[in-house]
Amino acid sequence: MTRLMRRSFTFAFFVWVGVLAPAQGATLTEQRMLEAVNAFRADYDRGPLALSEALSEAATEHAEDLARRGLLDHVGADGADLGARLIRVCYGYRVAAENLASGADTAAGAVVLWIGSPPHRANLLLEDVDEMGVGRADEVLSGGAVRTYWVLDLARKAEWSALPPEAEECDRSG
C-alpha cells in the first residue's frame, strides 16, 4: 500500500467510524470536524488540536453572518476580520487562521474541500496552532434547498494578554 493510500485510508477510517475520544461539551458537528481535522493532521505528523469554546463562538457567529449574506468572505458584514472577531470573544491569540467553505453537507465534506485547496490545506497543517473552533450555518435558498456554510478557526493563544485596551469586558488573567 502506498503512503498516499495509507493516509487516505486513515483519514477515512477516523472520519467515518468516529473512533476518536469525544471532546467534552462538544456538539456533534464540532466533534465530527475535530475528528476529521485531527485525523488529517495525524497523517502528516502534526499534533492534535483541542476544541476551543471561544473559537467556536467566533466561527459560529461568522458562519451565521455568511449564511445571512449568502456569500463566502473573510470580512464580516460589520467589517470585522478574523482578528477582530477573536478579540470580540476575548481570545488573545499568537497566531490564527481561518478556512471557509460552502456546499458541503457534512463536516467531513468540508474538510475534503479544504484538503483539495492548497491554501486551506496549509492552514489545516499549521504547526503553530493547537486549538480550533467550528461554525456551521444554513442558508435557505429559493425552492427550499439549503446551502451550508462552514467556518473553521485555528489558533494558538498568546502567552500574555494580546487583547487591546478597548476589550474591557475580557478577563485578562489567562
Side-chain angles (χ1 to χ4, degrees):
M1 190 182 300
T2 69
R3 182 177 169 104
L4 179 60
M5 288 172 63
R6 276 195 308 273
R7 285 186 176 162
S8 297
F9 174 77
T10 301
F11 175 72
F13 179 77
F14 281 110
V15 170
W16 301 117
V17 176
V19 296
L20 299 177
Q24 191 170 12
T27 67
L28 185 57
T29 296
E30 291 169 327
Q31 183 61 38
R32 294 290 187 243
M33 182 69 76
L34 181 67
E35 290 170 359
V37 169
N38 280 338
F40 179 68
R41 288 175 60 84
D43 281 344
Y44 290 86
D45 298 321
R46 301 300 194 275
L49 302 179
L51 196 59
S52 162
E53 197 173 309
L55 291 176
S56 285
E57 181 181 345
T60 297
E61 287 176 6
H62 192 51
E64 291 169 352
D65 175 56
L66 297 175
R68 271 191 305 276
R69 295 188 295 149
L71 57 86
L72 288 177
D73 193 341
H74 288 284
V75 177
D78 63 356
D81 63 7
L82 174 60
R85 289 191 299 276
L86 295 184
I87 290 167
R88 198 163 38 216
V89 297
C90 300
Y91 191 97
Y93 62 94
R94 188 174 91 191
V95 62
E98 182 174 68
N99 283 357
L100 308 177
S102 72
D105 295 332
T106 65
V111 173
V112 168
L113 290 174
W114 293 326
I115 289 170
S117 164
H120 295 99
R121 179 187 184 96
N123 284 346
L124 291 173
L125 295 174
L126 283 171
E127 293 188 51
D128 291 340
V129 298
D130 61 2
E131 294 186 304
M132 62 174 263
V134 181
R136 177 187 186 277
D138 293 329
E139 173 191 14
V140 179
L141 305 169
S142 61
V146 174
R147 178 180 295 132
T148 301
Y149 290 83
W150 297 92
V151 176
L152 175 67
D153 288 342
L154 306 127
R156 176 181 293 269
K157 278 190 177 179
E159 284 127 23
W160 45 271
S161 177
L163 296 168
E166 61 270 17
E168 296 172 0
E169 71 282 357
C170 297
D171 175 10
R172 296 170 188 275
S173 63

